[in-house]
Amino acid sequence: MRWDAMFADLEAQAEALAVAERAGEIDERVRAELGALTLRDRLGAAAGTPLRLRTAGAGVVAGMLSRLGPDWMLLDQDDGREVLVRLGAITAIGGVGRTSAPPDSMDVVTARLGLWFVLRRMARDRAAVSVQLADGSSLHATVDRVGADFVEVAVHGPGELRRARSVREELLIPMAALVAVRREL
């Protein structure tokens, strides 16, 4: 009888060690998988979620995440406007849930649509925009041209169309200084 109790105790200890070992292994795998996630992976599962972005220069920008590119996100705001935000200008994000998209799950086409692509589309449309810069300033402008790491804008009054007589100045803005671009109504 004593032998049975001793073997039962040893088996229970062995089982407890195996369970603890599996739990440690699972924890380690979870940490390794989390370590491989990127910001885009975390944001990939947040489509349709209301987010609050803290940005360098533009303060808090809030809206519903509608699209996500390799270096930008598009938010639908309560006033019916959309705002394009450069990911590199974001300092913190609130409202993102606990889920993530699988690593590198962005489709090939979207992965190629960098900020420059979206800005070139705005230049083609000749839309009046409000541009927020990293120094905290904002401009009412029209996007004229877009290079690999810069954007050229024609600054004019709010609500004005780009006309030669309404252009106050033309500016070359490094992409790194760009925080957000909002189409004017």
Side-chain angles (χ1 to χ4, degrees), residues 126 142 144 153-157 160-170:
R126 308 305 291 160
T142 299
D144 280 346
V153 299
V155 179
H156 48 73
E160 293 180 352
L161 297 175
R162 190 200 191 291
R163 303 283 183 259
R165 67 183 179 280
S166 64
V167 174
R168 296 178 185 160
E169 67 180 322
E170 294 178 356

Side-chain angles (χ1 to χ4, degrees), residues 137-151:
S137 65
S138 64
L139 311 166
H140 295 282
T142 299
V143 177
D144 280 346
R145 300 188 321 170
V146 181
D149 62 351
F150 67 91
V151 60

